[in-house]
Amino acid sequence: MKLKINGRTHEVDAEPDMPLLWVLRDLLGLKGTKFGCGKALCGACTVHFNGSATRSCQLPVSAAAEGEVVTIEGLSADGNHPVQVAWRARNVPQCGYCQSGQIMAASALLARNANPGDDEIDAAMSGNICRCGTYPRIRAALRDAARATSEARAGEGEA
Amino acid sequence: MSTLSKLSRRRFLELTGVSATGLLLGAAVSPASRAMDVLATATGERLNLFVSLRADGAVEIVAHRSEMGTGIRTSLPQVVADEMEADWSRVRVIQALGDAAYGSQNTDGSRSVRNFYATMRQMGAAARRMLEQAAADTWRAPLAECRARNHEVHHADGRRLGFGELAARAAALPLPGLDDLPLKGREDFRYIGRNVPIVDLHDMTTGNTTYGIDVALPDMVYASIERTPHLGGRIAAYDAAAARKVAGVLDVVELQGPEGPPAFNNVEGLAVIASNTWSAIKGREALAVQWRPSPHSDHDSAAYLDALQARVSGGPGRVARERGDVERALGDADQVLEASYRTPYLAHAPMEPPATLARVDGGRCEVWACTQNPQATQAAVASALGVDKAAVTVHVTLLGGGFGRKSKPDFSVEAARLAAHVGRPVQLTWTREDDVRHDYYHACSAMYFRGALDGDGRATAWLARQATPAIGATFDPAVTRLEDGWLSQTFGSVPFATPNLRIESHEAPAHVRIGWLRSVYNIPFAFGVCSFVDELAHAAGRDPAQYWQEMIGDDRHLDFAPEGFEFSNYGRAIAEYPYDTGRMKAVLRQLVANIPWGETLPEGQGWGLAVTRSFLSYVAVASKVRVDGDTLVVEELHGVIDAGTVVNPDRVHAQLEGGMVFGLSLALNGEITFADGAARQSNFHDYPVARLNQVPRVIRTHIVDSEALPAGVGEPGVPPTAPSIANAVFAATGQRIRELPLARHFDV
Ligand code: FES
Ligand code: FES
């Protein structure tokens, strides 16, 4: 089975019903995507699938083979996606475990809505649990990233 | 009394698993304190903490405590670097292996900074002194003319030498005595008290981190374990053949449970070994295990709590603390109030479930684990394998949250036993269902209070009883009641000036593994105590904030001994860390100043507050809620902490924010129930934890500026949060919440 992950094609030998999460982690050694519940309840395993935030614990590898997957490792070449930059500026992570999923969810949100309001942020991000309670900073960093994204886009428009 | 000893490079290698060259320092100090928890490892604790300096100037500082989100891998090295005058950008933090040479590495009880702040400063200062001496020797100049500053030693005449250039010479020097080493003044601090970003920040935002669940070895296999649903259960029958038919499954292994108390042992279970985690989980589902009953297999938590409740409201228990004559004061009172409270079992549910990689090879075992307590892991694994502790190496990974769950090494014992059986490295990952169903649960509790008010509304008597299963029961089933040590957490140590007071403890034999969860018994007891104070205030027709000040009374240091109470004070001497009612009242005043307390709010809205002292810190929390029909929304949370000296204020703010969110979470939704001895919850759908949409958009934290000795930070934000919310609900609606979680009463 061929999988397109972070712009590269990988050949994997997996049962078709194996969730993408375990293919990434156990077969491909991409450990940045985390396991938290296995039931689409926590968002720790969030990746981009064809650009949308997707729970990789619920996506069978056979279905994943039909599209493009981006994981935290492939979100940006240098770790400088506006969401990653904003997360660091606000010192969001505590234990850090949920943050791959948070960042993937936040970046997918900004990709489709560069300037989300508080309710849209709540709606898009409430599937991602942070047991350490970094929520206030997630909100703040997401707004910062949105601002940076909008400004960057406005800049592009002028150029 | 402190002494410094030089460590051989080999010993350094043993302790950290990395090689280092240059100056190696080991600080050895006598035991800081008696550890208060049941985990207390070796008595006569030694602390050995290390600095190394390379010829190229790179400094390596060992972090011997576990990083589970507090930022400790940054804060303690930050202290060393400051006293050493090292340039933080040239510091690399190395995680220590588990080794008794460090003294306690048990990262819980909110004590990393308070137990190691002084030692870290001495270590840094010793390194600085040796570098200054090395420069003085090089220049043949008096020591007094040589000063270390930002990774260089400067001579009064302008000459300077980099730390790296001095490494070899400094390493050859005798070690200075620690006691007469000059420490920097507060005004010269370069990093202490500053918001140094955590060392793992970049990696945590790029997925480049290694938690227990992430460690991999070339030849490893994966395990998932089906465990007895009730404590003490035994395997009766199962279908190994069906499990083996699942693609990827390699083996099915019986793991026998302990004969005695659960302690840190694995519980009885059946492990499925497979070529990947998914196959192991699927294999389990095919096992169809049947379990033999045990004395705990009829445990029903609702009936159990009812029984505890009847006991506490029915009559006196063992008296733990007594002042004056409570009965007489109740008899003479103008008004008598009584109330019963209860709180449920809770599960830790750290975002990363327990996970370990173990390799057993030729009588040696190596473990990589997300453990809060590497030495307990080492001891438990050694004992399970029947080898010497020295034959077990424990690598500490990052922890995806801990909250007390990962102080217990049961999951590493499982992995090690499986690795020994299989003969290959075994990566064991608990599913969320495993985590919720096989926790060391936070104890449920039943409480009963009676208070007397005089004609002016002053409280003249405080009677409090509780029945709560003891953590000690996990290690010794004969422990069936909380004694003063655990009662010191809020319930027995109430700071009230009421002339008559009695605290009692009732029996509550345990039927599940009881553990400690972030702030431990302060959780139920702060809920009961801080709610009942609010009840008294309202019965007296008084403003609760003002009433709290009066209940606490004069500024003073509390002395519990005359009242027959053995106050454990989180393991620290009361002379060193007094229970200071002045500081407690001050955080409350600061809190009230930070919010529009007393404002007139529309129908259905209200403010509530609570204050506690836990882990030697004083924390006050206020909540603003809105109740709309059946729906409860917490709109604001405000916290004030006096934690004494703080090393990294940003991380203290973060811990208070997180602690309040944790408290909010348990207040709104936290509840584990048992039927037929088994936990009825299994994952985040039936054991919900706080999500973004439940978290107030206004969360503010305030750190009291203080030069007092450092106190705890990781846990103290939790206890006052739930009662502040319940008190706000009362202010909003007149409805008194005496049973958690709030989801029992409202849509949350
Ligand atoms: S692991 Fe996929 S949502 Fe929790
Ligand atoms: S940072 Fe620990 S779970 Fe989110």
Side-chain angles (χ1 to χ4, degrees):
Chain A
M1 204 176 310
K2 280 193 178 17
L3 282 178
K4 207 151 170 227
I5 300 164
N6 299 333
R8 280 187 49 205
T9 303
H10 297 260
E11 182 69 43
V12 296
D13 178 15
E15 295 292 308
D17 67 341
M18 188 187 293
L20 176 64
L21 171 66
W22 300 114
V23 175
L24 291 172
R25 291 183 52 82
D26 292 357
L27 306 189
L28 297 173
L30 289 167
K31 304 282 192 182
T33 305
K34 303 302 186 193
F35 166 73
C37 72
K39 299 278 158 61
L41 296 165
C42 78
C45 66
T46 305
V47 298
H48 295 175
F49 181 55
N50 294 332
S52 298
T54 301
R55 309 294 183 233
S56 65
C57 69
Q58 296 302 304
L59 186 68
V61 63
S62 53
E66 288 155 21
E68 289 199 26
V69 174
V70 175
T71 69
I72 185 74
E73 291 93 341
L75 181 62
S76 62
D78 48 7
N80 283 334
H81 184 283
V83 169
Q84 292 169 308
V85 171
W87 248 241
R88 291 195 290 272
R90 291 272 180 182
N91 293 319
V92 173
Q94 289 188 23
C95 82
Y97 190 79
C98 73
Q99 300 297 343
S100 299
Q102 305 281 2
I103 288 168
M104 295 311 281
S107 53
L109 168 63
L110 292 185
R112 67 182 157 76
N113 180 355
N115 197 12
D118 285 343
D119 292 338
E120 289 165 304
I121 290 177
D122 276 10
M125 299 299 293
S126 288
N128 287 75
I129 293 172
C130 175
R131 187 66 164 140
C132 295
T134 63
Y135 297 119
R137 295 187 191 220
I138 286 175
R139 276 203 180 105
L142 218 161
R143 281 191 219 107
D144 293 349
R147 209 167 303 126
T149 308
S150 314
E151 279 163 19
R153 282 187 199 165
E156 279 163 26
E158 281 156 24
Chain B
M1 275 300 105
S2 309
T3 51
L4 268 181
S5 59
K6 216 160 192 177
L7 293 163
S8 69
R9 285 183 182 80
R10 187 163 154 216
R11 183 74 182 123
F12 182 85
L13 187 64
E14 283 169 11
L15 290 168
T16 62
V18 297
S19 63
T21 53
L23 174 64
L24 300 179
L25 286 181
V29 300
S30 54
S33 71
R34 176 178 64 89
M36 66 159 292
D37 64 40
V38 288
L39 275 186
T41 47
T43 51
E45 293 180 342
R46 277 170 57 93
L47 312 177
N48 272 257
L49 307 156
F50 309 101
V51 179
S52 80
L53 174 60
R54 294 178 186 269
D56 66 2
V59 170
E60 292 179 334
I61 301 178
V62 173
H64 72 304
R65 314 285 289 178
S66 297
E67 181 60 83
M68 54 184 162
T70 62
I72 202 63
R73 255 165 67 79
T74 303
S75 327
L76 287 179
Q78 178 181 343
V79 174
V80 178
D82 195 327
E83 279 292 352
M84 185 179 170
E85 279 291 317
D87 173 356
W88 183 252
S89 68
R90 302 175 76 181
V91 170
R92 190 160 77 91
V93 174
I94 301 168
Q95 190 67 38
L97 298 174
D99 196 306
Y102 292 108
S104 173
Q105 290 173 274
N106 183 14
T107 312
D108 71 2
S110 299
R111 58 193 152 178
S112 292
V113 171
R114 70 175 195 263
N115 283 5
F116 295 99
Y117 178 69
T119 308
M120 290 299 176
R121 292 187 67 187
Q122 288 177 324
M123 284 177 46
R128 167 162 45 90
R129 165 58 64 87
M130 293 168 81
L131 289 159
E132 288 170 344
Q133 186 65 58
D137 294 351
T138 309
W139 293 324
R140 297 182 204 286
L143 179 64
E145 291 172 12
C146 306
R147 281 274 171 277
R149 205 158 63 231
N150 201 23
H151 234 81
E152 291 175 330
V153 179
H154 295 246
H155 187 267
D157 68 9
R159 279 178 293 175
R160 51 171 91 173
L161 281 167
F163 276 10
E165 298 170 273
L166 294 166
R169 192 152 204 161
L173 288 170
L175 291 142
L178 281 188
D179 293 326
D180 49 1
L181 275 178
L183 296 178
K184 289 167 73 170
R186 205 186 188 206
E187 63 287 355
D188 294 327
F189 285 162
R190 193 182 285 280
Y191 304 119
I192 298 171
R194 301 286 155 81
N195 295 330
V196 174
I198 56 171
V199 292
D200 300 301
L201 186 59
H202 194 276
D203 289 341
M204 283 176 176
T205 56
T206 52
N208 188 30
T209 42
T210 303
Y211 296 85
I213 201 172
D214 297 327
V215 190
L217 285 174
D219 196 28
M220 76 182 188
V221 290
Y222 298 78
S224 191
I225 303 176
E226 186 76 13
R227 299 172 187 80
T228 169
H230 47 269
L231 185 60
R234 300 279 178 204
I235 297 163
Y238 60 99
D239 189 349
R244 283 176 200 275
K245 278 192 205 120
V246 174
V249 169
L250 304 170
D251 204 354
V252 175
V253 183
E254 284 189 28
L255 272 176
Q256 219 188 0
E259 296 298 334
F264 289 155
N265 299 295
N266 60 285
V267 297
E268 181 131 327
L270 271 171
V272 174
I273 310 290
S275 58
N276 62 79
T277 313
W278 174 244
S279 297
I281 293 171
K282 276 194 12 183
R284 266 174 77 179
E285 287 159 8
L287 282 171
V289 194
Q290 289 168 310
W291 302 95
R292 279 190 232 289
S294 79
H296 305 292
S297 47
D298 57 359
H299 179 55
D300 179 291
S301 52
Y304 179 73
L305 264 167
D306 285 344
L308 298 187
Q309 195 78 70
R311 208 166 290 161
V312 291
S313 48
R318 185 192 76 86
V319 176
R321 180 179 167 200
E322 187 161 29
R323 173 204 305 161
D325 187 338
V326 167
E327 303 305 339
R328 204 167 73 200
L330 285 164
D332 293 347
D334 232 65
Q335 238 193 109
V336 172
L337 249 73
E338 67 177 339
S340 295
Y341 291 84
R342 64 164 78 172
T343 57
Y345 290 114
L346 298 170
H348 299 76
M351 228 34 241
E352 176 201 27
T356 295
L357 172 67
R359 169 168 68 189
V360 176
D361 202 358
R364 290 200 54 85
C365 177
E366 217 168 347
V367 164
W368 289 257
C370 48
T371 174
Q372 290 175 242
N373 194 346
Q375 291 171 38
T377 299
Q378 185 185 38
V381 165
S383 138
L385 299 183
V387 299
D388 195 72
K389 266 200 291 194
V392 178
T393 303
V394 179
H395 304 262
V396 180
T397 64
L398 288 174
L399 283 64
F403 315 117
R405 173 62 184 92
K406 293 174 183 171
S407 300
K408 294 87 171 176
D410 56 323
F411 55 100
S412 291
V413 169
E414 291 175 335
R417 291 184 61 183
L418 292 173
H421 180 90
V422 175
R424 283 167 73 175
V426 172
Q427 163 67 244
L428 169 68
T429 294
W430 284 40
T431 64
R432 181 59 58 193
E433 288 78 7
D434 296 340
D435 174 54
V436 172
R437 289 178 179 149
H438 303 286
D439 200 359
Y440 286 77
Y441 297 95
H442 175 71
C444 58
S445 180
M447 292 162 275
Y448 171 81
F449 297 88
R450 207 184 294 168
L453 302 181
D454 68 14
D456 296 325
R458 271 193 299 265
T460 53
W462 175 275
L463 170 66
R465 297 187 191 125
Q466 58 67 41
T468 311
I471 289 166
T474 299
F475 304 88
D476 176 3
V479 179
T480 55
R481 186 175 61 198
L482 294 191
E483 304 300 345
D484 293 8
W486 291 118
L487 289 175
S488 295
Q489 301 201 336
T490 302
F491 200 83
S493 60
V494 288
F496 305 137
T498 48
N500 306 287
L501 177 147
R502 198 165 73 222
I503 311 294
E504 300 172 6
S505 189
H506 270 279
E507 297 277 316
H511 295 288
V512 304
R513 299 197 295 184
I514 303 291
W516 47 99
L517 173 133
R518 194 175 191 176
S519 83
V520 203
Y521 288 110
N522 290 297
I523 293 172
F525 297 156
F527 173 64
V529 166
C530 298
S531 296
F532 194 61
V533 171
D534 202 70
E535 293 210 41
L536 294 178
H538 285 283
R542 303 290 306 282
D543 170 67
Q546 194 50 43
Y547 201 77
W548 265 104
Q549 298 282 343
E550 288 169 26
M551 283 288 289
I552 297 170
D554 295 338
D555 291 3
R556 64 198 186 283
H557 291 177
L558 298 182
D559 181 5
F560 298 94
E563 295 164 12
F565 185 60
E566 277 187 55
F567 181 51
S568 64
N569 204 31
Y570 301 90
R572 301 307 288 251
I574 194 82
E576 192 186 19
Y577 282 93
Y579 194 129
D580 184 336
T581 59
R583 289 172 74 184
M584 192 169 200
K585 286 158 64 190
V587 292
L588 201 47
R589 273 197 303 275
Q590 183 65 58
L591 177 71
V592 169
N594 291 354
I595 58 174
W597 179 257
E599 67 175 330
T600 312
L601 287 170
E603 177 78 16
Q605 295 184 34
W607 283 98
L609 52 74
V611 61
T612 52
R613 176 188 187 267
S614 68
F615 305 90
L616 310 166
S617 286
Y618 303 83
V619 179
V621 172
S623 303
K624 184 184 181 187
V625 305
R626 180 164 47 84
V627 179
D628 200 352
D630 289 338
T631 305
L632 166 67
V633 178
V634 181
E635 297 201 312
E636 299 190 26
L637 279 174
H638 298 256
V640 176
I641 184 167
D642 176 354
T645 298
V646 304
V647 170
N648 191 325
D650 178 69
R651 289 300 86 190
V652 178
H653 282 293
Q655 284 305 295
L656 184 51
E657 291 158 18
M660 291 194 299
V661 170
F662 201 91
L664 169 89
S665 181
L666 70 90
L668 295 181
N669 290 116
E671 180 169 32
I672 294 287
T673 55
F674 287 83
D676 300 325
R680 297 174 64 182
Q681 290 73 26
S682 61
N683 206 321
F684 294 120
H685 65 292
D686 53 9
Y687 184 66
V689 299
R691 293 175 181 275
L692 189 73
N693 58 351
Q694 290 178 304
V695 169
R697 289 185 186 167
V698 179
I699 294 191
R700 304 255 187 280
T701 51
H702 181 123
I703 302 171
V704 173
D705 189 40
S706 168
E707 291 183 43
L709 289 176
V713 163
E715 296 167 271
V718 178
T721 304
S724 79
I725 297 170
N727 293 342
V729 168
F730 183 81
T733 65
Q735 183 180 353
R736 180 57 66 185
I737 302 300
R738 298 197 182 91
E739 182 175 23
L740 290 181
L742 287 149
R744 282 181 166 254
H745 316 278
F746 297 102
D747 294 333
V748 295

